[in-house]
């Protein structure tokens, strides 16, 4: 039993090590050129060698992502509450949101550049645009799936719609909200980096673009590693926050994943 | 028993939508103040629909519903309800679940903050009467199904409603727990004399608890029989083994049988 639980805990690390080994020795075995696919060790070496410039570019990426994510939370929750608590809003807005979500967010970058110029604004906004949707959907789901009988109990007490929202709807949607944050934060990184690739002066995206123009492929992979580490750390942080805030949900009600 | 009418249905019909026809049809009955009635009938016959009409959660398509002398328009605001599923809020402790109605219903709502201690004491007392002392601080998922249902009944009664609506409240419980809760409900009712509408599939439950039992027909639901239960009160579980009791149950069973064939 205990051994199995230990295995569960270590599984991500074991898989990571296996992946790195396959990467390293796969590249060596097939003698793949460094300009095509560098080895894991070469990528980490590039990370180490360029630590200064990478760090300088990591900070802006992190920062713009977090601001975009913050806006995404505010807007996502607001729209989620709106469509989750009103059938009219749900019917009217939901299809539009789905349509909007289907647009590749990279396609917004040139427009944002026209509006705001090159810099941190397009990256922030792209992060926001890509990450608010899952938050909206989850919050709305949490609100819209209140047991009808429970709603009857409350309405027969004379509860207003605001009462139902405050006493039941919002607390009920909190686990859904936190579940969506984990997804949203990783998407936000996608948004900001995609935008930086074309419309920024700094950031990991720019660093990778510069590395590409000089064919420094290991450095590009170092950039990818940094992005995934950042996203992973934030994911774990929000997963931990979720567990803290919504312990009751894991036993008390069925939860989305 | 003669009670002043508290709930009066006058030729009430309800259709949920235009196409499917009436869910309940031409229901006329009156429930006295402090009377305990039970409604039995086959599944889908409109028992829950009757509850919704009674509490104003649904407006009748035809006819009128009067409660406490006033025509019902919109949810009543004073009713306590409990269903087969306890529907407790998993993020609240048992105590806080029971207190929920006091956060909503006036006049408690206005004084909830400064009379908090008083209300907590009241909730504790109520929980004690249903045998939940010691579980106040537990969360619903830490309670058994029967305990959750007790808490759910406390939640329905904490604001001392004049009307208690119970929709198969003991349907999901085992036979022993069920009979135990009959006694809990009996004692609460005996003490406070609120008006009760109990929907149930269990004829023994209906006969044991109610003053009057109504049988409904299959959809569209009509009242096909009304049976006053003349067993003396207070009733003990012993009475359920008496010939008279069994006779009434058989009589009702015959009505249901006819309804199901017809
Ligand atoms: N919201 C609704 N919209 C449309 N039809 C409904 C709705 N609720 C109930 N009905 C229909 O009305 C009829 C009566 O339903 P109701 O829930 O009152 O039955 P019931 O007697 O409570 O059944 P059960 O014993 O299974 O709980 C059923 O045929 C059902 O399909
Ligand atoms: Mg029902």
């Amino acid at each position: 039993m205990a051994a199995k639980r230990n295995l569960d805990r270590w599984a991500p690390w074991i898989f990571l090590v296996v992946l790195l080994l396959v990467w390293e020795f796969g590249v060596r075995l097939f003698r793949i050129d460094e300009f095509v696919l560098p080895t894991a060790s070469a990528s980490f070496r590039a990370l180490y060698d360029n630590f200064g410039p990478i760090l300088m570019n990591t900070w802006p990426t992190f920062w713009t992502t977090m601001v975009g994510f913050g806006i995404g939370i505010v807007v996502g929750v607001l729209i989620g509450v709106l469509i989750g608590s009103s059938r009219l809003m749900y019917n009217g807005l939901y299809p539009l949101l789905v349509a909007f979500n289907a647009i590749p967010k990279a396609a917004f970058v040139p427009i944002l550049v026209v509006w705001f110029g090159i810099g941190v604004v397009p990256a922030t906004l792209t992060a926001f645009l890509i990450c608010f949707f899952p938050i909206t959907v989850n919050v709305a789901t949490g609100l819209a799936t209140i047991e009808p009988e429970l709603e009857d109990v409350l309405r027969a007490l004379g509860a207003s719609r605001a009462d139902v929202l405050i006493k039941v709807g919002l607390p009920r949607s909190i686990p859904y909200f936190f579940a969506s944050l984990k997804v949203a934060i990783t998407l936000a990184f996608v948004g900001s980096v995609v935008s930086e690739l074309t419309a920024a002066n700094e950031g990991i995206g720019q660093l990778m673009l510069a590395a590409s123009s000089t064919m420094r492929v290991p450095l590009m992979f170092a950039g990818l590693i940094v992005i995934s580490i950042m996203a992973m750390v934030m994911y774990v942080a929000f997963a931990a926050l979720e567990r803290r805030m919504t312990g009751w949900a894991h036993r008390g009600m069925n939860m989305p994943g | 028993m003669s009670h002043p009418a508290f709930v009066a249905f006058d030729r009430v019909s309800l259709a949920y939508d235009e196409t499917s026809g009436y869910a309940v049809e031409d229901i006329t009955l009156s429930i006295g103040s402090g009377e305990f009635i039970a409604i039995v009938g086959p599944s889908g016959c409109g028992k829950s629909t009757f509850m919704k009409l009674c509490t104003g959660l649904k407006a009748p398509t035809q006819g009128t519903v009067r409660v406490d002398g006033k025509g019902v328009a919109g949810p009543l605001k004073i009713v306590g309800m409990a269903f087969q599923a306890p529907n407790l809020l998993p993020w609240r402790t048992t105590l806080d679940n029971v207190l929920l109605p006091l956060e909503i219903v006036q006049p408690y709502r206005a004084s909830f903050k400064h009379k908090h201690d008083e209300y907590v004491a009241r909730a504790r007392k109520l929980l004690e009467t249903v045998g939940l002392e010691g579980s106040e601080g537990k969360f619903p998922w830490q309670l058994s199904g029967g305990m959750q249902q007790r808490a759910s009944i406390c939640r329905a009664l904490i604001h001392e409603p004049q009307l208690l609506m119970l929709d198969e409240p003991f349907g999901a419980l085992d036979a022993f727990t069920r009979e135990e809760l009959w006694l809990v409900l009996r004692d609460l009712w005996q003490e406070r004399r609120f008006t009760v509408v109990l929907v149930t599939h269990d004829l023994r439950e209906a006969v044991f608890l109610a003053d009057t039992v109504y049988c409904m027909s299959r959809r569209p639901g009509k009242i096909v029989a009304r049976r006053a239960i003349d067993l003396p009160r207070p009733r003990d579980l012993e009475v359920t083994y008496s010939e008279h009791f069994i006779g009434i149950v058989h009589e009702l069973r015959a009505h249901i049988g006819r309804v199901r064939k017809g």
Side-chain angles (χ1 to χ4, degrees):
Chain A
M1 241 350 257
K4 185 151 172 23
R5 203 164 314 139
N6 258 331
L7 189 67
D8 282 349
R9 171 176 303 173
W10 289 107
W13 300 106
I14 296 168
F15 276 73
L16 178 66
V17 169
V18 170
L19 177 76
L20 290 176
L21 289 177
V22 169
W23 178 7
E24 179 73 32
F25 292 103
V27 171
R28 284 174 190 249
L29 190 71
F30 294 106
R31 298 172 188 283
I32 299 172
D33 207 330
E34 181 161 274
F35 297 106
V36 179
L37 180 62
T39 57
S41 56
S43 302
F44 278 98
R45 166 118 219 142
L47 178 60
Y48 180 77
D49 288 343
N50 300 281
F51 198 69
I54 287 179
L55 201 62
M56 266 174 51
N57 286 294
T58 301
W59 184 238
T61 299
F62 180 75
W63 195 219
T64 49
T65 306
M66 292 316 282
V67 172
F69 178 58
I71 303 173
I73 291 177
V74 174
V75 174
V77 167
L78 285 180
I79 302 180
V81 169
L82 202 64
I83 65 177
S85 54
S86 148
R87 176 162 320 169
L88 178 74
M89 287 295 171
Y90 190 93
N91 290 335
L93 262 179
Y94 203 89
L96 292 182
L97 283 171
V98 172
F100 175 81
N101 193 49
I103 303 172
K105 298 303 169 294
F108 279 105
V109 177
I111 304 172
L112 293 173
V113 171
V114 171
W115 288 349
F116 300 104
I118 293 206
V120 290
V121 180
T124 307
L125 290 181
T126 314
F128 150 60
L129 288 174
I130 204 170
C131 82
F132 84 93
F133 188 72
I135 300 177
T136 294
V137 170
N138 269 28
V139 170
T141 306
L143 290 177
T145 52
I146 297 178
E147 296 80 357
E149 291 179 339
L150 183 57
E151 216 172 332
D152 281 353
V153 168
L154 294 169
R155 281 178 55 212
L157 294 169
S160 65
R161 278 174 55 166
D163 288 335
V164 177
L165 187 70
I166 290 165
K167 299 288 179 201
V168 183
L170 292 181
R172 195 178 185 291
S173 63
I174 281 179
Y176 293 80
F177 168 70
F178 278 105
S180 73
L181 289 190
K182 293 181 298 186
V183 181
I185 184 65
T186 54
L187 285 176
F189 277 105
V190 173
S192 57
V193 173
V194 160
S195 179
E196 281 171 0
L197 282 172
T198 53
N201 303 313
E202 50 185 1
I204 295 293
Q206 271 306 296
L207 179 96
M208 288 179 63
L209 195 67
S212 163
S213 61
T214 51
M215 293 296 276
R216 293 159 72 192
V217 181
L219 181 57
M220 295 172 69
F221 274 83
L224 294 182
I225 291 169
V226 168
I227 296 165
S228 48
I229 289 175
M230 269 195 291
M232 219 30 243
V233 167
M234 293 314 291
Y235 178 95
V236 169
F238 279 103
L241 185 67
E242 178 190 6
R243 267 198 305 282
R244 261 191 87 112
M245 302 294 292
T246 61
W248 55 266
H250 296 284
R251 318 206 63 189
M253 78 190 211
N254 295 326
M255 265 295 301
Chain B
M1 287 183 209
S2 75
H3 310 266
F6 183 66
V7 178
F9 273 59
D10 185 22
R11 311 214 62 181
V12 173
S13 304
L14 179 114
Y16 277 102
D17 43 60
E18 286 84 42
T19 48
S20 59
Y22 289 127
V24 297
E25 192 174 325
D26 199 21
I27 292 190
T28 300
L29 60 80
S30 86
I31 307 169
S33 178
E35 190 179 354
F36 195 134
I37 74 145
I39 298 187
V40 295
S43 184
C45 73
K47 301 182 296 294
S48 300
T49 307
F50 176 84
M51 300 288 239
K52 286 185 185 150
L53 287 164
C54 210
T55 51
L57 291 169
K58 279 266 182 278
T61 317
Q62 266 167 36
T64 51
V65 179
R66 297 174 74 80
V67 174
D68 205 10
K70 292 177 282 287
V72 171
L76 275 182
K77 310 198 172 184
I78 45 147
V79 185
M81 293 183 104
F83 294 89
Q84 178 167 351
N87 279 318
L88 301 172
L89 304 177
W91 57 90
R92 284 177 172 238
T93 61
T94 307
L95 184 70
D96 286 334
N97 264 295
V98 172
L99 286 170
L100 178 69
L102 302 185
E103 296 170 27
I104 291 169
V105 182
Q106 295 294 9
Y108 308 103
R109 181 182 189 141
S111 56
F112 190 76
K113 285 246 164 61
H114 68 263
K115 286 199 180 163
H116 191 259
D117 293 346
E118 184 188 325
Y119 294 157
V120 167
R122 181 166 164 180
R124 281 181 189 279
K125 192 154 160 281
L126 189 57
L127 283 166
E128 204 181 303
T129 57
V130 302
L132 277 184
E133 64 273 14
S135 300
E136 296 93 342
K138 290 193 179 146
F139 287 91
W141 74 76
Q142 297 170 311
L143 305 180
S144 71
M147 292 161 94
Q148 288 186 31
Q149 200 53 271
R150 286 166 208 249
S152 171
I153 289 170
C154 288
R155 182 178 65 185
L157 287 173
I158 185 77
H159 57 297
E160 306 200 330
Q162 289 168 281
L163 185 57
L164 177 64
M165 310 292 286
L166 301 171
D167 195 342
E168 295 176 40
F170 313 130
L173 305 176
D174 65 273
F176 297 117
T177 312
R178 191 181 304 175
E179 290 184 356
E180 227 170 87
L181 287 187
W182 291 357
L183 301 184
V184 166
L185 181 58
R186 177 199 65 187
D187 293 343
L188 285 167
W189 177 77
Q190 209 89 40
E191 185 192 317
R192 303 198 185 171
R193 285 307 177 119
F194 35 77
T195 308
V196 186
V197 177
L198 168 73
V199 164
T200 178
H201 281 135
D202 183 343
L203 294 175
R204 292 177 64 244
E205 178 172 306
V207 175
F208 178 71
L209 287 168
D211 295 318
T212 317
V213 177
Y214 293 88
C215 284
M216 284 179 80
S217 67
R218 278 204 309 203
R219 183 180 176 143
K222 294 179 199 157
I223 303 287
V224 291
R226 173 182 191 278
R227 176 66 158 96
I229 310 297
D230 47 6
L231 297 167
R233 289 188 189 272
R235 298 173 189 162
D236 268 319
L237 275 180
E238 278 305 307
V239 81
T240 61
Y241 303 104
S242 72
E243 228 160 89
H244 188 39
F245 182 94
I246 294 167
I248 301 173
V249 170
H250 276 159
E251 187 189 324
L252 291 171
R253 157 75 53 217
H255 280 299
I256 299 279
R258 222 169 296 139
V259 162
R260 293 187 59 176
K261 268 184 241 123

